[in-house]
């Protein structure tokens, strides 16, 4: 890795370490609804018996909350975000507040999403694409791959598009290669994650290791997935001090993996919940949690571990944060000449 890349990692690590220390809210996963018409085999939100939509009034108070700043990034998701009856109003609220955001979609409603990008100025769109045609249908129960390709073609010059490929027991490396080729052809970003088992998703199939044939396509984070599964990798859980998830019923979740409720926005303000002694104590309680390797949470932990190891020795870091596998993170970054995340 070049000195320039190393310097970028250090700068990024310093900035995010300040956020962690001060518990600055940098990302809110706004799961505004749990309705979804997909039938994914690796997520069973669609199978929940009771559904809820977070009210526009609650979201309006959230974006004006003192614990939420213009640096807070919103992930507008679900379920399927466009299933929320007031999804347009939610986008306007977040945008008018001056916050950057991404709309996550399964591509079920191409006309609505294309129109929204054009009329509402959505800056970022994330869509899952775990394969094409029959593979997509096998993984997600319905075939929206053609919808996603149409959406990409119609808005790729109007917004930042990111395609997310999830390695599951129901697709293969050939599917990843197809999606990767498509992303390169269309000039859009793509990332590779792996099937995990967050409690809220009610998953049923056990999580397995990533097959070696995927290794050339894994970034530094995913390259350590199997090491983590073998219980040979532990790093602190810092991300929970800068990110949380909010459900359609108003519950503020500690993270996506654990069904730990910090409070409910129908009862208290976000600031009251986030800065309460109980939440602060919960963050301390789970500081050493190592129960997931979710790509939506743990990359920040890895980035900070790497930045810390660039500055301090193993012994010094162990004294500060407890016994962890700092050198494994260091080696992973050195083997993947990549830039720090956002």
């Amino acid at each position: 890795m070049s000195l320039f890349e190393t310097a970028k990692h250090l700068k990024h690590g310093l900035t995010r370490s300040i956020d962690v220390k001060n518990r600055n809210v940098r990302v809110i996963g706004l799961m505004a609804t749990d309705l979804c018409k997909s039938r994914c085999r690796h997520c069973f939100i669609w199978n929940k018996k009771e559904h809820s939509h977070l009210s526009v009034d609650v979201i309006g108070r959230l974006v004006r909350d003192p614990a939420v700043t213009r640096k807070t990034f919103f992930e507008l998701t679900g379920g399927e975000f466009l299933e929320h009856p007031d999804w347009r109003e939610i986008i306007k609220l977040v945008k008018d507040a001056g916050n950057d955001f991404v709309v996550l979609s399964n591509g079920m409603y191409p006309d609505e999403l294309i129109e929204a990008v054009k009329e509402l100025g959505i800056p970022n769109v994330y869509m899952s694409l775990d394969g094409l045609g029959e593979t997509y249908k096998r993984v997600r129960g319905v075939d929206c791959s053609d919808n996603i390709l149409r959406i990409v073609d119609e808005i790729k010059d109007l917004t930042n598009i990111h395609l997310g490929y999830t390695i599951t027991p129901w697709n293969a490396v050939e599917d990843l290669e197809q999606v990767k080729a498509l992303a390169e052809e269309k000039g859009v970003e793509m990332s590779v994650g792996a099937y995990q088992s967050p409690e809220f998703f009610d998953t049923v199939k056990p999580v397995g290791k990533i097959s070696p044939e995927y290794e050339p396509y894994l970034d530094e984070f995913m390259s350590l997935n199997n090491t983590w599964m073998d219980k040979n990798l532990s790093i602190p859980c810092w991300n929970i001090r800068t990110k949380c998830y909010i459900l359609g019923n108003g519950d503020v979740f500690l993270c996506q993996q654990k069904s730990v409720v910090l409070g409910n926005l129908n009862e208290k303000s976000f600031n009251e919940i986030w800065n309460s002694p109980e939440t602060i104590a919960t963050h301390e309680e789970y500081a050493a949690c190592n129960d997931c390797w979710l790509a939506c949470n743990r990359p920040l932990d890895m980035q900070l571990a790497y930045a810390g190891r660039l500055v301090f020795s193993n012994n010094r870091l162990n004294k500060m944060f407890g016994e962890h596998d700092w050198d494994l993170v260091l080696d992973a970054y050195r083997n993947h000449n990549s830039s720090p995340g956002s």
Side-chain angles (χ1 to χ4, degrees), residues 236 238 287-288 308 312 316-324 326:
W238 286 305
F312 301 109
R316 180 66 184 276
L317 288 171
N318 285 336
K319 288 179 180 178
M320 291 191 290
F321 303 110
E323 295 283 338
H324 292 288
W326 312 102

Side-chain angles (χ1 to χ4, degrees), residues 194-211:
Y195 166 64
Q196 294 279 331
S197 56
E199 294 176 2
F200 183 71
F201 288 2
D202 298 331
T203 54
V204 293
K205 189 174 182 64
V207 176
K209 291 184 180 181
I210 297 175
S211 172

Side-chain angles (χ1 to χ4, degrees), residues 30-135:
L30 193 63
M31 303 171 73
T33 179
D34 51 19
L35 275 177
C36 185
K37 287 188 172 64
S38 288
R39 294 295 181 264
C40 300
R41 302 175 74 170
H42 57 297
C43 169
F44 287 83
I45 285 180
W46 55 269
N47 199 38
K48 292 183 180 295
K49 302 305 180 184
E50 297 182 4
H51 298 284
S52 56
H53 307 298
L54 193 61
S55 75
V56 171
D57 288 341
V58 168
I59 296 172
R61 292 195 297 270
L62 174 66
V63 298
R64 298 189 300 270
D65 191 276
V68 177
T69 71
R70 289 193 175 184
K71 292 183 178 180
T72 303
F73 185 85
F74 281 86
E75 298 172 346
L76 305 182
T77 183
E80 165 58 38
F81 177 69
L82 299 188
E83 292 281 1
H84 194 291
D86 300 309
W87 62 265
R88 290 180 179 84
E89 184 62 27
I90 296 171
I91 290 174
K92 291 176 182 177
L93 283 171
V94 175
K95 189 173 183 181
D96 289 348
N99 293 85
D100 196 8
F101 63 95
V102 60
V103 170
L104 290 86
S105 178
N106 58 19
M108 187 73 70
Y109 302 104
D111 293 336
E112 290 83 350
L113 184 54
I114 292 167
E115 176 189 0
V117 169
K118 293 178 178 179
E119 294 188 1
L120 302 178
I122 297 174
N124 304 283
V125 172
Y126 179 104
M127 294 180 290
S128 298
L129 190 61
D130 311 314
L132 303 176
E134 286 302 314
T135 297

Side-chain angles (χ1 to χ4, degrees), residues 262-274:
L262 303 176
N264 189 285
L265 293 182
N266 294 305
E267 301 168 359
K268 295 181 179 180
S269 72
F270 182 77
N271 184 54
E272 290 174 315
I273 295 170
W274 186 257

